[in-house]
Structures are given as C-alpha cells and as structure tokens.
Amino acid sequence: MSYFGNIDKIQFEGKGSDNPFAFKHYNPDEVVLGKKMSEHLRFAVAYWHTFTGDGSDPFGAGTAVRAWDHLSPMDKAKARVEANFEFLEKIGVPYYCFHDRDIAPEGETLQETNKNLDVIVDLLEQGMKSSGAKLLWNTANMFTNPRFTHGAGTAPNADVYAYAAAQVKKGLEVGKRLGAENYVFWGGREGYETLLNTDLGLELDNLARLYHMAIAYAKEIGFDAQFLIEPKPKEPSKHQYDFDAATTISFLQKYDLQNHFKLNLEANHATLAGHTFEHEIRVAGINNMLGSLDANQGDLLLGWDTDEFPTDLYATTLTMYEVLRAGGIGRGGVNFDAKVRRGSFEVEDLFLAHIAGMDSFAWGLKAAGKMIEDNFFEGILENRYRSFSEGIGAEVLAGKATLQSLEAYALQNNPIKNESGRQERIKLKLSEYIFSV
Amino acid sequence: MSYFGNIDKIQFEGKGSDNPFAFKHYNPDEVVLGKKMSEHLRFAVAYWHTFTGDGSDPFGAGTAVRAWDHLSPMDKAKARVEANFEFLEKIGVPYYCFHDRDIAPEGETLQETNKNLDVIVDLLEQGMKSSGAKLLWNTANMFTNPRFTHGAGTAPNADVYAYAAAQVKKGLEVGKRLGAENYVFWGGREGYETLLNTDLGLELDNLARLYHMAIAYAKEIGFDAQFLIEPKPKEPSKHQYDFDAATTISFLQKYDLQNHFKLNLEANHATLAGHTFEHEIRVAGINNMLGSLDANQGDLLLGWDTDEFPTDLYATTLTMYEVLRAGGIGRGGVNFDAKVRRGSFEVEDLFLAHIAGMDSFAWGLKAAGKMIEDNFFEGILENRYRSFSEGIGAEVLAGKATLQSLEAYALQNNPIKNESGRQERIKLKLSEYIFSV
Amino acid sequence: MSYFGNIDKIQFEGKGSDNPFAFKHYNPDEVVLGKKMSEHLRFAVAYWHTFTGDGSDPFGAGTAVRAWDHLSPMDKAKARVEANFEFLEKIGVPYYCFHDRDIAPEGETLQETNKNLDVIVDLLEQGMKSSGAKLLWNTANMFTNPRFTHGAGTAPNADVYAYAAAQVKKGLEVGKRLGAENYVFWGGREGYETLLNTDLGLELDNLARLYHMAIAYAKEIGFDAQFLIEPKPKEPSKHQYDFDAATTISFLQKYDLQNHFKLNLEANHATLAGHTFEHEIRVAGINNMLGSLDANQGDLLLGWDTDEFPTDLYATTLTMYEVLRAGGIGRGGVNFDAKVRRGSFEVEDLFLAHIAGMDSFAWGLKAAGKMIEDNFFEGILENRYRSFSEGIGAEVLAGKATLQSLEAYALQNNPIKNESGRQERIKLKLSEYIFSV
Amino acid sequence: MSYFGNIDKIQFEGKGSDNPFAFKHYNPDEVVLGKKMSEHLRFAVAYWHTFTGDGSDPFGAGTAVRAWDHLSPMDKAKARVEANFEFLEKIGVPYYCFHDRDIAPEGETLQETNKNLDVIVDLLEQGMKSSGAKLLWNTANMFTNPRFTHGAGTAPNADVYAYAAAQVKKGLEVGKRLGAENYVFWGGREGYETLLNTDLGLELDNLARLYHMAIAYAKEIGFDAQFLIEPKPKEPSKHQYDFDAATTISFLQKYDLQNHFKLNLEANHATLAGHTFEHEIRVAGINNMLGSLDANQGDLLLGWDTDEFPTDLYATTLTMYEVLRAGGIGRGGVNFDAKVRRGSFEVEDLFLAHIAGMDSFAWGLKAAGKMIEDNFFEGILENRYRSFSEGIGAEVLAGKATLQSLEAYALQNNPIKNESGRQERIKLKLSEYIFSV
C-alpha cells in the first residue's frame, strides 16, 4: 500500500518555483566543483525520527498522525519498511540509517528479539534490492531499554555488558548483510550521573575492550564498513564519555583505536558541547577523523538536543565549506538526524522538512563551492600566514628553530607589526556568498 | 615598610572562634590520612590577583585601595615584592606563583623588559632566601600585550612567534633561578575568533613545536620543573585550543608530548567547559596527568571567568577527594587563582578572602579524608562493580572475552537484574560527611 | 494491600544515627523561631513523580519497579491512591499535590474522562478522611495530551481553548471537594515555538481571560483556595510566557490580576531562567507574591529540568532564609516536585530520596533560623544602608529630595567614601552557619 | 585635521560592487513600504565603541591604533569630537549617542568634571550645527568610576546616590542643549553581587525615586526627550535589576512609571537573558514600550556581551520585521552599540564594520518589507487563529464566555482537530525571503 499517496515524487523546479513540494536548490545531477550534488551530499533519512518517532516529548504524548498507528508491533514494523522505501523514492534520497530497535520490536528474550529483527532485515534486503536504496549505516540502540540504565559498554554490571556485546555482534551481522557503508556507536548511556558511584577508569577500559572486540569480529566476518563514534556531551547522561571530537580522539589514541574509527559528527551535539559544528568538522579533519555527518540544528538558547531540520544557511554553508576543504565526506554522508517539530504532526511535514533540509544543504554546498572557486577565504589565509613561508617562520616550520635562535631574532626585531584580522568584513562577505548562489 | 601593618599573623583558633582574622579549619600541622594539612594542600598565592590586580572589570576602573597605588611602575613593582613576602608570612602560605609581567613592567624593547624583570627577580630571590617562601610556578604572560592579539605560540605572524619563544626562554631561566617546582603554559590567545581566517592545523603544529623547544631548552639549562598546561575553553578567545583536560591530552598525545606535561586544572575553567572540577581532576588522574590546581570558583549562572575565592564546601570536598584518590598533588599545589570581588576593595579583604579559601579547602580535605577512612564511597564502588571480579566479568577484564563468547553468555542469561545507583542517598551522605568534620 | 510493606514508618533519630531509613534533621515538632518545623515547612509529596512517574526519559523507557506496574489503567489509578496514603503516613508528610491526569486516566470523551476522575476523587476523599492527609494543591494537566500541542489557554484553536476551560472548571470543583489550599496553573504549552506563526498579544489576552473566568467560577462555587502561577522559562516550549517571577508579575499587573494570584516558585525553573531560587523568592516577597514552593534542584551544567531531590544545603538554607524573611510560606508549602533518578528505580529510593529532601530542608530551616536569631546578616544590612536613615539619605526615602537638592549636596561632598561589601567573609560565614546546626 | 584621510565618503554601489568601502544594500533614499530606508533605520554611531574604545579586554591591553592615542585627556576628547563628525559624514550616519564620560574626562571634583563636559558639549554643539548630525540619545555613565562599585541609583550609600542624581541632572541639561531625541538609563551597577548583603526592596524603591525625580526635572527644564531604560540581565553585576523587557515593564508598572518610559533594547542583552532579540521587540511592542534599538550581535556560545557588529541576516530581518509590525521605531533609532573585534584594530575596520552593520540592516529591512508586502507570514497568522473570529472563539474574545459556557461547548465537541504549525516550511521560506532581495 501507499503511505504517502497524496504526494508525488519531489522534483527540482529551481529558485523561481512557488511549489512547497518541490526543490528550489537541490538538483542531484548539478555539478559543483566537478562532482554531482548527490555525490557531495550523500543524503540519508533517519529511520527513527521519520518512521518510528511520534512527536512525544518529556511533557507530552505523541502527536504524529501516521497510517500505521493502529497496527500491532510487528505489523507496524513491516509497514514502516514499506513506508521507508516509498519515502526514499519520493524524496529522492539514496540512503537510510537505523538502530536495531527502530526497525523491529524487542521480544521477551534476546532470541525472540533477534528473530523479530531477522524478519524485518529480510524485508529491508528485498526492498533495497528492488528500490536501489542503500544503507549508510546501522547501529545498536543500547540506551532505551531499562537494562542500560547504568550504561551498556560501560555498565557496572557484567551481564549488561555481555548483552550489549551480543547486540553489537548482531548489528555487525546485519550491517554486513545489508551492505552498510558504516557502523556507528553512539553512547547515550555511556557516561555517568555522579562520579561518587562511578569507576571512570574501569568503565573506559571496558568500552575500549568492546571496541576492540567489534573490530576483531567485523574482520572475522568480512564486514569492511567504516567504524564511527558519535560524540555527544550530555543528555541523556549527566556526562557522556564521548563529549566532543577532541575527547573522542583522545580516547581513541589512548586505547590504540585511532586507525579503526572515524567520527560521526552532529551539529546539535557540537553546540551542546560549546562548539560550532564547523569547529568539530575542522578538528576531525586535521586529525583525519572526518567520517560522516548527522545533519540537524539546535536552538542555542535551549539546553537540550532539539534535533531540528537544518535550515540555517550560515551553518549549512560553513559545514559544506569544511567538508570540501577536508576532501569530502568519503564513505559517510549527510544523515538527517532531525525530527519534525511536535506541532508539525502531519505526514506532509515529513516531506516539507526534508525539502527544507535538502535545499538548505544544497544551497550551502553551492555557496561553499563558490567560496572555494573564488579563493576568497583561502586567499586570506595565504596572506595571513605568509611570514611562515620564508625567513625565521620557515625555519620554525622546518623544525630548525630553537628558543635561542628565536630569542636572537626577537631581540633585534622591534617593533612588531601585526595586521587586522578583518573579521567584520569577512562576515559580510560570507552573507554575500550565501546570497549570490 | 609594612603594607599590612594593621593585621597580625593569622592563627589557627579552631571552630569555636569568632575572630574573622583567624583560621577555624586550616591547621597546617594537623594530620589527615597520615600527612600534614600543609603537605596535602601546598597552598600558593597568585601574584597577579593579589598584588597586581586592581578590581577593574570590562565596565569599570580599578577599585582596590593599595599602599603602592601612587608609585611609578618600577617602584610599584618593588613594593609588591615586599608586600608579597609580608603577605605570605602573615597568611601562612608557603608558595606563590606569577606571570613575568605581573612582577615587572614591560619596557620599550625586549632588552629593557628583560632588564626590568631581572631587577625584580633579584629582589624575589633575596626575599625567598630570607623568608623561606617558595615558587610553586611561574609562567609567561603572552596574552596582555597587543602584539599577541592574534596569538603567541599560534600567531599567524612569525615575528610574534619568535617573541613568544624569547619570552618562554626567559621564563625558563627565571624559573630555574628561583627554583620553581613547575612551569605553566596558559594560552589565553592560543585560539581563534573565526575559523574563516584561521589555519587550525598549522597553528597547533606550531604550538607543539614551541613546547618541544621549551622541553629541549629546559633540559639544556638543567631546569627540571614539571611542565604544566592549563586548559580553558574560551575567554578571552572565542575558542581556545586547550579547551579542557581531554582536549589537552588529545593534543599532547598527537604531538608525542604526553610524557613531558601534566595539567594545571582550574575550577572555573572546568565549569566554563561544561564540566565539574572533580570531573577534570578525575580525567587527569586516570591519565596520570594531574599536575596542579588553580583553586577558585565560578558562578554557574554567569558565562565568564569570575575567579571567586573557593567557599563552596561541596566543591572543595570533592576536589580534595579526587586529589586524595589520585595519590595527592605531587609537585603541584593549590594556587588561589582567585580575586577579591570588585566591591571587596580594602586590604583586609585580601586576608579575609584567603582565610575563606584556605579554611574551605582545609574543611574539604578533612571531610574527604574521613570519606576515605570510612570507605563509604569506595565500598559502594566495590559492590557496584563486583560482577567484574568473577565469571564473565573477569573474562572481560582479562581480555579473554569476544563478541561470540559474550553473546553465548547473554543468550542464556535472562532476565538481567540491575541494582539502584542510590544517588539521592549518596548526596545526603556527602552533606553529612562535610558536616561531620 | 501494602505497597511498601518492607519499610516502616520513618522516625527521627537525630544526627548520630546511621540508619538510612531515619531522619537525622527533620523532627516535625522541633521548634524553630517559635514555630514547629512541620508548620514552617508544610511538606507535600508530588503525586506525578512519586506514583505516576516511571523513570523514562527522552532516550529511554521507564525503569521504575512498582507493585502496580501490571495493572489496567483504572486499577493502576486505584492502587496509586492506596500507595499515596501509605507513603504519606510512612514518610510523615502531611500534604500531597496532583494534576488531574496523574490520578486518573483519560477516556475517549471528556465525559468519560471526568467520570474516571470522579471515581478516583471519591477514593481520595475517603483516604484523606481516614488518614488525615491534606491536599496542598491540585491543577489541570493541559500539556500532555496531543490536543495541547499548540497551547491550551493560549491555543490558536478555540476548540482547544474551550476544552482547557472545561478542564479548569472541573479542576476547581475537585479542588473544592478535596479542600485544596491552593490551585495551580503551570503553562507547559503556554508559549511558542516560533514567533513567525504566533500572535503573542492575542494569546496573552486569551490567557488572562481564562484566569478571570477561573476567578469568577471559584467565587461562584465558593472555592476559596489561593490561586498560584508557576513560572518556567522554557521546556517543553521553546519560550514560555510565564518565564520567571518578574515576567509573571508583569503579566498579572497588566491584566489586573495581581490581587488574585501568587506565585508557585520552583528551584529548577529559577536556574533555567538564569536566576537563583533565592532571587525568585526575594522578588516574589517584595511584591507580596510568595505563594508556595516546588522544592527540587537542577544541575547547572545541564540545560533542562532535571527535578532532582534537593540536597544542596546552601540552597535549602538560602531558600528557608528568604521564606522566613518574607514572613513564612502562608497557605503554600514545600512540595517535592522532584523525581528519583532513572537509576534509582527501586521502591526504597522513594523513601531515601524524600528523606534526603526533608532532612536537607530541615537542616536549611535550622541554619536559617540561627542566622536570623544571631542577626548576623540582618546586621550587615542595617550597617550597610545606614546612610539612608539620616540626612540626605533620609530625605530621599521621605520623597523630599530632587535632582537639584541632591546635586547641591553632591557638589560639596568630596570625596565619597565607600565600604567593602565583604562578600568573601560573608560566604564563609554562611558555610559556618549551615554546618553549625 | 582629518582622522580618516585615506578614506572617502562611502557610497552606495549596489549588489554588483566588489568595493569593500561601498554599500551594496544601504541606499538611504531607497523606499521600502512607502518610507525611505534612512527614515526606517535612523542609524546612530556609538561614541564609546567607535571613538573611546581601544580594543582592550579583561585579559589584554588596548590594540586600537588611532591618531589621537598620544594626546592628553582633554586634547584627546577634542580630537574625538572632530573624528566623530568626520566619521558620521563619511559613513553617512545621521545620529550619534554618548555617555557623559565618553566625551570628556572626569576631573578631581564634580565641578571640574562638569566643566570638562561643558567644554566638549560646546564643541559638539558647534559640530552638530555645521555638520547637521543629530544626537539620538545621551546618558550618564554611572558604572565605570569606583564610586559606583555597589550601585548608583541603587547604591547602599546615600552619598553615591546623590552623586548619581547630580550626574543625571547634568545629563538632562546636556541632552536638552544638544536636542537629544531620547535619554537613556542603563544600570550596569544597578543590581547585586550577593543577596546576603542586599536590600532588594529598598534599592528598587530608590531607583524608582530617581526616575521620578528625572521626569520632574526634565519637565521643569522643558526637555521633552523620550526616556528609555535599557535592560540587561547580568554583567558587570551578577544580577541586574532591569533583567529583560518583561522585568523592566514589571518594575515600571509597579512604580507607576509605565507612561514615562519606553525600552532601549539590545540584541546581545536579549540573548544573555535567554531570549531572541525579536522576542524582546515583540514583548515591548505589545506593551507599547518599543523605544529604540542597540544594534549588535552576540555569540550564543559565549556567556558575555561581545557587542559584535550585526551581520546575521536572519537576525536583522527578524528585527526589522518586528519593528515594522510594531509601527516603526518612532523617535528611537538603530544605534550600533557594537565594537570592532580586538583583532580589527585598524582605522579602516571602523568603516568596514559599520558598512557590514548598515548593509546587513538594510538587507534585513528590504527582506522584512517584502515579507509584509507578500502577506506570507501574516496570512499564516490569519488562518491559524481564524477560529477566534466566529462562534465560541468570538465569544471568548468578546468577553462573553465563562467556564460553564466553554465546558458546555467542549462536552459536545469531540474530537478536536488541530493543524500543523508548519515550522520547517516557514523556516525555509524565511531564508528564501532574505536571499531574494
């Protein structure tokens, strides 16, 4: 059956269009810097927000009106599979992403849970074959069930740890079967509520052990996906171990995992950690750790993860600028880890929201491409750091300088002349670039 | 001359005392867990806040009323040296800390600046000899002068970089001469205002180069102080590279500096980064990176570094609890990087504020000592993680578990039984411990 | 049946006790400043957190293990009534509070919903009669049901507004029947998500209209409870109209409602608005608007309403100090709008958490009482403002001063002498008071 | 002499221009919604940031390079007057604003200070006459001098209060003489550091008394400027009394001042209080309190007042949309209370920054004008609230509804049908409007 029967395939109509159900900027085959938009962006739909989410929040029950609301758990799960492929096709998104528990309900036992999962994975496999849709990544939900109250890979209870490991094992098998390009870890309960009852060192050691086991098992079964860790500073835990990009990199280095993982960065998680999204991408980029993006936006006046669809063009432009400078998103993609607002409860909103996000990212990509073509900002950098390309600066870069040689230079070099950073001019120029595309 | 003539040496009078100019808790020779309070705490006075600071803020001129206000820059510098030793003696603090520019004014040239510095270092050396006061650490102020607008060790201008290097060289020489136990780097301008004009990768590479040069030079001159980096997330820069403990550790690992540095952690910097102070100490502790403490407190409803004297006993207790669990503060100490409020502009406030901080830390030390003696919180940990001491948990810790073995265990282990974390009970117990000392 | 059969009535055992299931500070008949603790504090249990809450959060299902988990909705509702009275008796709390939907499930129609409510209200009435428990306040939940997605008293849909009005009407009738001392309005959906689709002026006008109708109806049915509005700045809405005490007072003044309402202030809501709890109480106090307290505490490093049980003695002491200075809590009380942590899922935690909160508030009350008896802080105020009790200051207070007379005074009064505010000394003294009781 | 000799008068060159020293959007005579841009915007230059500011911050000395740096205080003051008029003319801004202490240095006595002030006011008067520049508003700086440490109009010291009153008196006289359109109160020290030494009620009473005296004196001397209060939540004080628009309105209502004052709203102050700027404008608008705007922008990831030049087009568009909907800015204006970044220390940056701000506001004005012409967002409102224009909704608005009549309606009206708020669609549409101009 059709779940979105009243909506046709969304078409690119260009900037002049007044049709809410059309793209004005996202034109998949349009070429930016020598590559198609669709290849730059590799959009993905998040199964949980789009098909499983219901608009509930801590103070209110679900509001979403969906055709499968009345079905039993397994029938609902099956309906959502159909809806997924219909939606992907109509919105023109090539990838999707899921947690194990998004796609199939838990049973009474792990055996039954895995059986439920297998039934749905069969359907997904068929759907992917017939539709051509692809799996950007899958992951294990190790935060919803009460058993994970105190953690999963960092649980103080070895039984929970074992359960989590079993769930990861199954997740890797599912990922291999569905040809996932990546496998993600997000540790919603991998953190603490109070240090007074927490053995931080032991918990992190155990988390690293779990990752090493996952690497070994993926190798064993020939699952060659890219492993990703998704940082988030807090929520639901009071403090989460993968606080931000730098913290996660520190962890990976300590446990000799840095060659096996990249980062799945999320805009709203960045801001909750006190960073811009572009900062997190830059940090990942200079450490060769840029893996994939969870595209959304937060509200900086609110202190929780609002997971809004990304519509701020400054943000999408700077995001794509950093991605382009880092050499592209690789095997990752731009996954809309975003949910329609509680008040946007109609099925039409799912389309309008994805259009908003896709157009905003396409717009940002075009602006970023133009910024790079023009060499405007890169030119600023070249000029600003030019003193390191010769003389004493070049000696520093070459590793030949010492405190003594630099002191000798400084003692005879008076006064020093700095140049303005021209931040105000740069900010206006950014607006002009965004506007010009 | 005497600068605090109306105030006598502060004595320990115990809890019953009603004398504002006496300690009720800090009793230097009192033994806690087998060690004297003074050895546990190794208090230091921050030269900048106590002798150089004037109570000014971004919206107001200095308010402090000091005996040296009317003097010329060099005479003022000399008066402050005398005041420093008088204060240390009267308040009973064994250590002090300074930036180069706190103790002596800059001249027209680096040569003149260094000459000013030498004059004051001579005086400090004499004062230390006669008073027995010691230098916990010194550092170079590479953030106040306009030349450092765009950075020092991360400046886009090689001339500035060279100047910074010269300043560090001199700082190491001064530290050696005065027998400093530590040498600190705090990068107030090592960060960025906008990524659009910043080459993050180059700047961090250069910072690492500077650190390597400093290590080499310290070795060359036989200065064996412990090197410390002080994390701070933002302010004055929009984003600072040494954001927090984990970020700094990540940087040190990347550039192979982790064996040459420890961390100088500050309470107010921790909270600005979204962490508790005890979190930062724990993170440093499990990475063997705990160096020294800048003791102060922030106002969590304000978004800037207020550097208040530490008076929250929950914070001082948890701080000392983490320090004790990490094996003590080593060559570091508890430096009052704290300033009297703008409205506390009288000389008496300098004493009252240090008494408040010292009593609060002594109080916290006693409470933490009792917590450890009673094994109350440690006992909770032992019980909470007991499943890792046998069976499948022990296999995990021994590195013998695999995803397969854990899955096999999980499949036959149903249901899982968790236990309450008892957070509410623990919180009340903490109040009871603080109260009981 | 007994729901807490393994737990006996909690007794006061005093500070020496090591029994987790005993009070060390809350001794209901102990007299502080001439009044019994129980009369000062008027504790209340929050039905929603204690009997309806299940420990779920936005990322996880409920964890709480309760004896009524397996029952049908109406049987569950009945069981909770029994549990309520058993709990109140065992914990020794005289009051409870509820939202209509906490106590009885919604039906298909408003008629059926009201019928469910009536069944439970009958049981509550009986239970109150036999146990002596009293209702501090009741309120209408106008935020959980999807119909309130866009607001209730500020809905853009008149049908929703009418429904809300009907719910308030029933709430007033229930309050009258059960002898509630107060009736509360908390507007979780009375706010907006984006100004671009919001008519702020109309929505506030409508809210005021609803309040006027409620006043009229309460008068009509002879329900003489005190009306309370509970401010909260955000969450679940992006922006809530009753942002904080001052905003709510502004609203009440504008619509001539200030003589009909007082404020129900909550600690965690205060901090989310950027204030301390004591600030909000002081603001209410000087405007004669202090109504009642929702006692809990937030985590200032987190940006959402954590509703933790209050255990910070600085906060409880300052809270009770403000309450005492404002002349007491009147017909209001100290309602534990607090939930056990998700990880504190055992029934025992309900008792341990209330003990923690009650002991912490009793402790704070005793400390605040001692502060007032000693006149320490009041004495500081008297001295600090003494210049307004004579001369030019007295003229200002008497309304006799003009800019001209003040200028004339200022021109001949040079220099001005200020005095230190002694904040550091005051902060340490506060610790000493708290820990002296 | 010329202070900006190398820079010509800035011209409008339109969107195609690549000249950094030209306007691309601000075209003063261009008509939007029937009124010239210059009349809509009424731009003003802030004397303090542009002529007095030096780029210093709490961690660094001034960086600005200005032609008057070497002069004595009074000569510097005179030079700045000349620079002011040259700048206004070259940048094409009609208004300026100042605090008394921006324009002239303090002397040893109030007499001497007023004399200094008079000298400069003479020069300003001449300059205004010859240049045609106008004074948007003036104010008294009652926060920089140490005498105001504990407050000015809320000082605990009557001598300080008298001094503040004298300063206000002089400010009103200066304003009258220079034909100021508004007179502003911003209370940087009107707040508290700790409630424990603060008599909040007395302080607010005194502040109200001062305002009443100012009103009386202005009337007496025939100064008919509009009085404005500028809310700010915190900084420099820990808590400031004029926290935000609603708080200030509450204060004005309480003291019967609401007909004598309007609000001077600032973008960065709004966000520090947890609001958007457009929220504050809307709140002022519906209370008939919109007075004037301090145009700048903050960094929402930083917790202090960064006072950046406004370049975010979302913000400028929504600001001007609210201003247009409120009927325009009246006697107020758009004052650039913004400072060039510390790293933008060259004189050219003053021009580039004002161009960035003016172009961004002109851009926002054009976008907002188009939004209103198209009736897109207004149309959404009309449709969304249509149920209040007939039937039961119309009865509510007419004041005829009661809880009984609404209950009767609700009981027979089942189920209720809501409509999506379409937030995602609206957000994308906003981008399209901004970038369509």
Side-chain angles (χ1 to χ4, degrees), chain C residues 22-74:
Chain C
F23 296 115
K24 283 92 183 171
H25 290 274
Y26 182 59
N27 187 6
D29 294 332
E30 187 176 327
V31 172
V32 174
L33 295 181
K35 207 161 78 175
K36 286 183 186 176
M37 271 196 182
S38 58
E39 293 167 34
H40 276 293
L41 293 166
R42 295 166 60 88
F43 285 132
V45 166
Y47 207 95
W48 53 101
H49 284 314
T50 300
F51 305 112
T52 318
D54 65 359
S56 61
D57 70 17
F59 294 85
T63 56
V65 178
R66 302 289 181 256
W68 51 78
D69 287 341
H70 64 291
L71 300 176
S72 72
M74 273 305 283

Side-chain angles (χ1 to χ4, degrees), chain C residues 159 197 203 384-385 409, chain D residues 159 169 197 203 384-385 409:
Chain C
D159 288 359
N197 68 12
E203 293 201 356
R384 196 165 189 237
Y385 293 89
Y409 176 86
Chain D
D159 287 359
K169 176 171 175 290
N197 69 12
E203 294 200 358
R384 197 166 188 238
Y385 294 88
Y409 176 85

Side-chain angles (χ1 to χ4, degrees), chain A residues 108-111 114 146-150 155-163 165-166 168-169 172-173 192-204 206 209-210 213-214 217 220 234 238-239 243-244 246-247 249-250 253-254 273-276 278-279 282-283 286-287 318 321-322 371 377 380-381 384-388 392-393 396-397 399 401-404 406-407 409-414 416-421 423 426-427 430, chain B residues 108-111 114 146-150 155-163 165-166 168-169 172-173 192-204 206 209-210 213-214 217 220 234 238-239 243-244 246-247 249-250 253-254 273-276 278-279 282-283 286-287 318 321-322 371 377 380-381 384-388 392-393 396-397 399 401-404 406-407 409-414 416-421 423 426-427 430:
Chain A
E108 285 298 304
T109 62
L110 180 52
Q111 284 85 343
N114 284 346
R147 77 175 66 85
F148 300 120
T149 300
H150 301 310
N157 180 347
D159 288 359
V160 174
Y161 187 90
Y163 193 100
V168 170
K169 177 171 174 288
L172 297 175
E173 292 160 3
Y192 63 80
E193 294 303 309
T194 169
L195 273 178
L196 287 170
N197 68 12
T198 303
D199 187 337
L200 195 66
L202 175 66
E203 294 201 355
L204 289 171
N206 280 349
R209 288 180 182 115
L210 182 63
M213 290 184 222
Y217 188 68
E220 191 173 328
K234 35 190 87 172
K238 183 255 182 305
H239 187 97
F243 195 83
D244 59 6
T247 303
I249 291 171
S250 162
Q253 288 170 321
K254 178 175 180 183
H275 309 301
T276 60
E278 53 268 26
H279 170 85
R282 181 78 68 96
V283 168
I286 63 171
N287 285 285
L318 292 173
Y321 180 64
E322 293 296 333
M371 283 159 61
F377 294 99
I380 287 173
L381 289 186
R384 196 164 189 238
Y385 293 88
R386 68 185 185 278
S387 65
F388 284 99
I392 191 77
V396 169
L397 295 205
T402 62
L403 291 192
Q404 294 98 317
L406 290 166
E407 182 190 52
Y409 176 85
L411 281 168
Q412 55 72 38
N413 181 48
N414 189 40
I416 288 172
K417 175 99 178 74
N418 274 316
E419 291 173 7
S420 164
Q423 186 166 326
I426 285 174
K427 288 277 188 89
L430 177 63
Chain B
E108 285 299 301
T109 61
L110 180 52
Q111 283 86 342
N114 283 345
R147 79 175 65 85
F148 300 119
T149 300
H150 300 310
N157 180 346
D159 288 359
V160 175
Y161 187 90
Y163 194 98
V168 170
K169 177 171 175 290
L172 297 175
E173 292 161 5
Y192 63 80
E193 294 303 309
T194 168
L195 274 178
L196 286 170
N197 69 11
T198 302
D199 187 337
L200 195 66
L202 175 67
E203 295 200 357
L204 288 172
N206 280 348
R209 287 179 182 114
L210 182 63
M213 290 184 220
Y217 188 68
E220 191 172 329
K234 35 191 87 171
K238 182 253 184 304
H239 187 96
F243 195 82
D244 58 7
T247 303
I249 291 170
S250 163
Q253 287 170 321
K254 178 174 179 182
H275 308 301
T276 60
E278 55 267 26
H279 170 84
R282 181 78 68 98
V283 167
I286 63 170
N287 285 285
L318 292 173
Y321 181 63
E322 293 296 332
M371 283 158 61
F377 295 99
I380 287 173
L381 289 186
R384 196 165 188 237
Y385 293 88
R386 68 183 187 277
S387 66
F388 284 99
I392 192 77
V396 170
L397 295 205
T402 63
L403 292 193
Q404 295 99 314
L406 291 166
E407 182 190 52
Y409 176 84
L411 283 168
Q412 54 72 36
N413 182 48
N414 190 38
I416 288 171
K417 175 98 179 73
N418 274 316
E419 291 173 9
S420 165
Q423 186 166 324
I426 285 174
K427 288 278 189 88
L430 177 63

Side-chain angles (χ1 to χ4, degrees), chain D residues 248-364:
Chain D
T248 308
I249 291 170
S250 162
F251 168 85
L252 293 170
Q253 287 170 321
K254 178 175 180 182
Y255 293 102
D256 201 22
L257 287 161
Q258 71 272 29
N259 297 323
H260 299 283
F261 281 87
K262 290 196 190 304
L263 303 179
N264 185 39
L265 298 168
E266 175 171 331
N268 205 154
H269 295 181
T271 53
L272 287 172
H275 309 300
T276 60
F277 196 25
E278 55 268 26
H279 170 85
E280 289 289 89
I281 302 173
R282 181 78 68 97
V283 167
I286 63 171
N287 286 285
N288 194 28
M289 284 281 180
L290 178 58
S292 193
L293 299 183
D294 266 16
N296 60 21
Q297 73 186 19
D299 183 325
L300 272 76
L301 295 175
L302 300 180
W304 64 91
D305 203 13
T306 63
D307 279 352
E308 298 176 47
F309 273 86
T311 57
D312 183 306
L313 297 179
Y314 292 106
T316 61
T317 300
L318 291 174
T319 296
M320 292 313 300
Y321 180 64
E322 293 295 333
V323 168
L324 292 173
R325 290 184 79 241
I329 199 62
R331 295 185 69 181
V334 174
N335 171 47
F336 288 109
D337 188 1
K339 58 184 173 192
V340 288
R341 297 302 83 195
R342 179 175 164 82
S344 300
F345 51 79
E346 299 172 2
V347 156
E348 288 77 4
D349 293 302
L350 292 177
F351 285 86
L352 295 171
H354 279 85
I355 290 169
M358 293 164 76
D359 260 359
S360 297
F361 257 88
W363 197 328

Side-chain angles (χ1 to χ4, degrees), chain D residues 146-277:
Chain D
R147 79 175 65 86
F148 300 120
T149 300
H150 301 309
T154 63
N157 180 345
D159 287 359
V160 175
Y161 186 91
Y163 194 100
Q167 210 173 320
V168 169
K169 176 171 175 290
K170 183 74 181 174
L172 297 175
E173 293 160 4
V174 167
K176 176 173 165 57
R177 188 164 157 209
L178 297 180
E181 305 231 12
N182 306 270
Y183 185 86
V184 168
F185 290 90
W186 173 64
R189 305 281 173 199
E190 316 296 19
Y192 62 81
E193 294 304 309
T194 167
L195 274 178
L196 286 171
N197 69 12
T198 303
D199 187 338
L200 194 67
L202 175 67
E203 294 200 358
L204 288 172
D205 288 351
N206 281 348
L207 188 59
R209 288 180 181 113
L210 182 63
Y211 289 151
H212 277 293
M213 290 184 221
I215 292 164
Y217 188 68
K219 193 173 171 191
E220 190 172 330
I221 65 172
F223 178 38
D224 73 341
Q226 177 176 267
F227 279 102
L228 302 175
I229 293 181
E230 179 173 330
K232 186 179 183 186
K234 33 191 88 174
E235 197 203 19
S237 301
K238 182 256 184 303
H239 186 98
Q240 283 172 224
Y241 295 137
D242 301 325
F243 196 83
D244 59 7
T247 303
T248 308
I249 291 170
S250 162
F251 168 85
L252 293 170
Q253 287 170 321
K254 178 175 180 182
Y255 293 102
D256 201 22
L257 287 161
Q258 71 272 29
N259 297 323
H260 299 283
F261 281 87
K262 290 196 190 304
L263 303 179
N264 185 39
L265 298 168
E266 175 171 331
N268 205 154
H269 295 181
T271 53
L272 287 172
H275 309 300
T276 60
F277 196 25

Side-chain angles (χ1 to χ4, degrees), chain B residues 350-368:
Chain B
L350 292 178
F351 285 86
L352 294 171
H354 278 84
I355 290 169
M358 293 164 76
D359 259 358
S360 297
F361 257 87
W363 196 331
L365 169 63
K366 289 188 291 182

